[in-house]
Amino acid sequence: MLVAGLVAFASAAPAVRAAEPTVAGLWEKKDEAGKSVGWFVFVERNGVFEGAFAKLFARPGDPPQPPTCSRCTDDRRNAPLLGMSFIRNMQRSGLRYDNGNIVDPRDGTVYRAMMTLSPDGQVLTVRGYLGIPMLGKDEVWRRLPDSAMAQLDRSVIVKYLPARAAAAKPAPAAAPKSTSAAAQ
């Protein structure tokens, strides 16, 4: 009976974990004044989570050309920020994500990273740090509704959410009908 109970508990555990929210989706960071700084999209690929810049909001004094990661030293060097993967290799353990990294595009520094998702899946705390987590800084992001995906640049959708891009692909235009007398 004890063995049967353990088997039942073990088989129920994955179902409970599956019910937990995930970081996958669209997130927003706001500044101290409550203005949006950026939107970020998270996807899961082969059990590892990745976050990318999904929408950028210009601030006063920003240059008119699209920003790039000019100080990055890896494969992101000079990549446009829009659509760039800046959080990588996050491994999920329940509501916690660890062992990843985050790049600061302002100076190209790559920090170790961890994230914690609220139990309701609506708040994400992102922490980048050097060495140990205590030597880091938290940012709090809020989940955006799925309907906000319609506001993203198509290139971001195609790169990170190809199934959504395929579903949203416009239908081919129908051939124009002839209006000549011979066609009537």
Side-chain angles (χ1 to χ4, degrees):
M1 188 137 120
L2 178 61
V3 172
L6 288 174
V7 169
F9 177 76
S11 63
V16 170
R17 182 174 176 161
E20 284 182 333
T22 175
V23 72
L26 192 59
W27 297 87
E28 177 180 43
K29 175 186 172 185
K30 291 187 176 185
D31 64 14
E32 299 79 30
K35 293 181 75 177
S36 188
V37 173
W39 290 5
F40 316 102
V41 63
F42 277 90
V43 295
E44 178 183 5
R45 293 186 177 154
N46 301 317
V48 178
F49 289 83
E50 170 182 6
F53 293 106
K55 186 170 183 174
L56 304 173
F57 296 88
R59 292 180 267 187
D62 281 353
Q65 69 274 12
T68 64
C69 197
S70 61
R71 295 187 177 179
C72 287
T73 58
D74 58 12
D75 63 300
R76 298 172 276 208
R77 182 171 186 81
N78 294 323
L81 292 188
L82 184 64
M84 185 184 85
S85 168
F86 75 109
I87 297 179
R88 293 179 171 173
N89 303 319
M90 298 303 290
Q91 299 169 3
R92 181 179 183 185
S93 177
L95 297 175
R96 190 175 165 100
Y97 298 77
D98 292 300
N99 303 318
N101 61 69
I102 184 169
V103 67
D104 182 341
R106 296 171 296 186
D107 63 12
T109 303
V110 178
Y111 296 94
R112 294 177 68 187
M114 57 191 276
M115 305 184 306
T116 306
L117 187 59
S118 65
D120 68 357
Q122 298 303 303
V123 178
L124 180 65
T125 303
V126 179
R127 184 172 192 81
Y129 60 93
L130 286 172
I132 59 173
M134 190 169 70
L135 301 176
K137 179 183 173 190
D138 285 349
E139 290 185 354
V140 177
W141 302 349
R142 307 242 177 247
R143 187 180 295 275
L144 291 169
D146 284 344
S147 61
M149 295 274 189
Q151 297 179 46
L152 300 184
D153 187 276
R154 179 147 175 84
S155 66
V156 173
I157 299 290
V158 167
K159 185 173 182 179
Y160 292 98
L161 304 164
R164 183 181 287 262
K169 189 181 257 185
K177 292 186 178 182
S178 175
T179 56
S180 70
Q184 293 179 0

